[in-house]
Amino acid sequence: MRFRQCLLFVSAVLLLAACEAPEATIQVHFRVDMNPATAEGVFDPRTDAVGVRGSVEPLEWSESVLATDLDNDGVYEVRIEVARAGEPLRYKFKIDRPGNSNEGWEEGRDRLISRESGDVEVRRVFNDPPEQLEPTIVGDVRTHEGFSTSFLPEEKQFMVYLPPGYDDGDRRYPVLYMMDGQHLFDQRLSGYEWSADETAERLIARGIIEPVIIVGIFASPANRTREYTPGGRQWEFRRVEGGRGWVGDYTTVMEPDLSLSFREIEGDLKVQLPYEDVWTELEPEGDELFVPREGIYFSPTIVQAGRVSQFSALMTQGGGLADDFGRFLLEDLKPFIDATYRTDPERTSLGGASLGGLLTIYLATRYPGQFDGLLVASPSVWWDERFILDDAANADLSGMRIWIDVGSDEAAGMVSDARELHLVVSERVDDPSDAYFVEALGASHNELAWAARFPDMLRFLYRR
C-alpha cells in the first residue's frame, strides 16, 4: 500500500512538472509595413514579394519565407515556429523579385530576436533601423577608415586591437589578421561580436597567452562573397545531338560523363545541369546565358548556322577576388600595419569563419611561408565543388600551426567537410599535432558560437 501511494505521488509530481515545463518552441509573428516602401517606389506590390530570411530554421539566408498581405492594407504577415533556446534569432526582411537574388535587403545590420522568453510579435516598417546598442569595446582598439588599395573595388576599413602595455615600451608583437572584422570588437556594428578584445585582455592579463595585436578587416557589404572566394572553374562542352540554337545535349571534352542539356519548355529555354533531374531557369546576358542560382555563365565558342556547337561554362558563384584580396593583405595592409605599429613582421597569423575560413586556408596555400598560424572556423569547404581539398593536398603548409573547427549543429556536410580538410592539412604540416581539429557539440554557424571558441583559438596560437 505504501509503495502504491509513493508511486502515485511520484506520478503526480512528474505530471505537474510536465505541465509547467516551458514549451520547446516559440511562435514568431512578423508584421512588416510596406506602405512607405511602396510610396518611395522601392516596392511594387503588383510584381514584388516580401520575404524574411534569417539564421534559425525554418529561416535561412539563401531563400525567403514569404509573407502575405491578407487584408490588402500594405502590411505583410508571416508566422514561424522556432526552437525556444539558443542564441538570438538574426533576421532581415527582403523584397524578392525575379533575378534580384542580391538586391532588396533591408539596410544595416541584422535585426535580433531573443528566443529565451515566450512568443514574439514583430511589428515594424520595412527598413526601420535596428535598435541602438551600447558600445562594448574594451582596451585599446583603434579604427582606420578609407584605406585605399588598387587591388579591390572599394576602400577598406579595419580595427586594430593593441595589447595591455603597448605604449609602455619598445616590444614587438605578433599580429593576427581576422576576416569579418566588423564582428570582432563592438556589438554596435553588427548586433553581435566575437568579444575578441575582452578575450585577449583577459588571457593576456592572466599570463595564459603572450600579448598579440589583432587586426579586424571589415568585409565589404557589397562584395564580401567575391572578395572571400577565388575565381570559378571553366569547362568546355561540345554538342552531342540536338536542334537549333542552344537546344540539344552536350558533354565535356575531357570528362565525357559530365553532360548537360538545353530544352525549350513552355516557351522558355532551360538547362538540365549535370547530375540533376530538374530544369533550371536561364537569363540571357548578350550572347551568354546565366544560371542565377548557381552562378554559371555559358559562353558560345563555336556557332555554325545559328546552332551552338561548342561553349564554355564558367562557374563563378559570384567569386573571383580572393587572389586580389591576398595582394591587398600582403602588399598594402601588412606593410602599413608593420610601419604604423610595433609588430614582429615574421610572426603573422590569419583567421576567419565560414567563407572567411575558406579564404584563410586558400591564402595559406597561395602564399607559402607568409603565415605561421591559421584559425579556420567553420570553413565553407563546399565552395566550387570542394576545390580547397585538392589545393590543400598539394600545398606547402610547413612552418604553420593550423586550427580547424566546426559546430555539430551546422548545415549538412559541414562537419564531414571540416573533418576531411583537417585530415588533408595534417599531412602537409611539419607534424600532425600542428593541425588541431575541434568539433563543438551543439554549436551552430554564427558569431556567438565562434566567440565561444575564440579563447581556445588564441591559446592554440599564442599560449605561453
Side-chain angles (χ1 to χ4, degrees):
M1 183 69 178
R2 185 172 298 174
F3 172 77
R4 184 182 177 190
Q5 289 175 333
C6 290
L7 183 61
L8 290 173
F9 175 77
V10 171
S11 299
V13 171
L14 291 176
L15 179 60
L16 180 62
C19 292
E20 295 181 349
E23 293 293 330
T25 62
I26 62 170
Q27 297 282 334
V28 181
H29 182 192
F30 292 101
R31 292 172 50 89
V32 55
D33 185 349
M34 299 301 296
N35 288 299
T38 302
E40 296 169 6
V42 174
F43 174 71
D44 186 343
R46 298 168 299 178
T47 58
D48 299 340
V50 179
V52 58
R53 303 191 184 191
S55 62
V56 178
E57 293 182 347
L59 298 183
E60 55 183 285
W61 292 113
S62 60
E63 187 173 350
S64 294
V65 172
L66 295 180
T68 55
D69 183 3
L70 298 177
D71 300 327
N72 200 30
D73 60 357
V75 177
Y76 288 71
E77 301 183 45
V78 64
R79 295 176 186 267
I80 64 170
E81 188 175 87
V82 299
R84 183 185 185 97
E87 73 276 356
L89 164 64
R90 296 154 43 203
Y91 80 95
K92 275 188 177 183
F93 293 121
K94 183 180 182 298
I95 297 172
D96 281 328
R97 60 176 67 95
N100 79 329
S101 59
N102 291 317
E103 300 174 1
W105 291 95
E106 289 190 290
E107 298 176 357
R109 62 172 173 81
D110 301 341
R111 282 59 169 179
L112 303 178
I113 296 174
S114 172
R115 294 190 285 149
E116 298 298 329
S117 54
D119 295 346
V120 178
E121 184 171 23
V122 176
R123 289 174 173 261
R124 63 180 186 81
V125 176
F126 182 82
N127 244 349
D128 266 357
E131 68 171 304
Q132 295 297 312
L133 300 174
E134 294 297 320
T136 56
I137 292 178
V138 172
D140 189 352
V141 179
R142 306 179 187 184
T143 300
H144 296 262
E145 298 179 344
F147 186 79
S148 181
T149 174
S150 60
F151 299 114
L152 296 173
E154 304 169 359
E155 294 180 338
K156 300 301 291 182
Q157 180 177 347
F158 53 91
M159 300 175 78
V160 180
Y161 163 82
L162 300 175
Y166 176 84
D167 291 328
D168 298 337
D170 56 3
R171 177 175 180 171
R172 293 192 169 272
Y173 302 90
V175 181
L176 171 61
Y177 291 89
M178 294 289 293
M179 313 302 172
D180 289 306
Q182 72 277 10
H183 297 319
L184 289 186
F185 305 115
D186 192 349
Q187 68 173 1
R188 290 178 301 174
L189 299 175
S190 61
Y192 35 83
E193 59 166 303
W194 285 47
S195 300
D197 44 350
E198 290 92 338
T199 298
E201 290 275 299
R202 182 176 68 254
L203 296 180
I204 292 170
R206 294 178 180 177
I208 296 174
I209 66 170
E210 63 179 308
V212 57
I213 294 173
I214 303 175
V215 180
I217 309 167
F218 283 37
S220 164
N223 291 298
R224 178 181 182 271
T225 299
R226 295 184 65 212
E227 289 185 357
Y228 284 12
T229 56
R233 298 182 177 184
Q234 185 165 325
W235 297 268
E236 290 293 329
F237 283 82
R238 56 180 173 79
R239 179 185 286 272
V240 177
E241 58 181 349
R244 58 186 176 82
W246 285 88
V247 174
D249 300 324
Y250 299 80
T251 186
T252 57
V253 177
M254 300 301 294
E255 299 179 57
D257 292 336
L258 191 65
S259 61
L260 54 74
S261 302
F262 294 91
R263 296 287 187 273
E264 284 190 2
I265 300 176
E266 298 180 352
D268 295 322
L269 184 65
K270 297 186 178 182
V271 64
Q272 187 178 53
L273 298 172
Y275 314 116
E276 292 192 4
D277 296 327
V278 299
W279 293 92
T280 301
E281 298 282 349
L282 291 161
E283 292 184 6
E285 294 194 5
D287 294 333
E288 297 182 331
L289 297 175
F290 178 54
V291 187
R293 72 176 177 85
E294 300 288 349
I296 302 175
Y297 285 92
F298 299 129
S299 303
T301 52
I302 299 178
V303 180
Q304 298 173 323
R307 189 169 180 253
V308 177
S309 300
Q310 189 165 311
F311 67 89
S312 64
L314 177 64
M315 185 175 183
T316 64
Q317 290 188 315
L321 296 179
D323 291 290
D324 296 317
F325 190 97
R327 295 194 65 186
F328 148 73
L329 176 67
L330 293 174
E331 298 181 35
D332 286 343
L333 182 58
K334 186 178 185 301
F336 172 82
I337 295 294
D338 289 341
T340 306
Y341 299 99
R342 292 197 316 278
T343 69
D344 181 347
E346 302 303 315
R347 296 190 61 195
T348 303
S349 294
L350 194 62
S354 193
L355 285 177
L358 173 70
L359 179 61
T360 294
I361 191 69
Y362 176 77
L363 293 181
T365 68
R366 288 297 183 270
Y367 298 99
Q370 292 292 322
F371 308 107
D372 59 354
L374 303 178
L375 299 178
V376 182
S378 302
S380 299
V381 174
W382 53 266
W383 183 270
D384 195 4
E385 299 184 337
R386 307 199 307 164
F387 82 95
I388 195 63
L389 297 176
D390 289 335
D391 281 22
N394 294 287
D396 177 10
L397 302 179
S398 59
M400 281 190 279
R401 303 189 73 228
I402 303 175
W403 166 289
I404 298 174
D405 72 24
V406 70
S408 65
D409 287 357
E410 297 194 34
M414 290 290 291
V415 174
S416 58
D417 281 351
R419 289 173 181 165
E420 190 168 352
L421 178 63
H422 172 251
L423 291 175
V424 169
V425 166
S426 297
E427 298 179 355
R428 307 304 301 172
V429 292
D430 294 331
D431 186 277
S433 63
D434 291 331
Y436 192 72
F437 180 68
V438 171
E439 183 177 328
L441 184 63
S444 53
H445 192 89
N446 58 67
E447 282 73 20
L448 295 178
W450 300 320
R453 303 199 288 270
F454 192 59
D456 290 334
M457 297 182 198
L458 290 183
R459 291 187 191 98
F460 174 75
L461 289 183
Y462 302 110
R463 183 183 293 276
R464 281 189 178 275

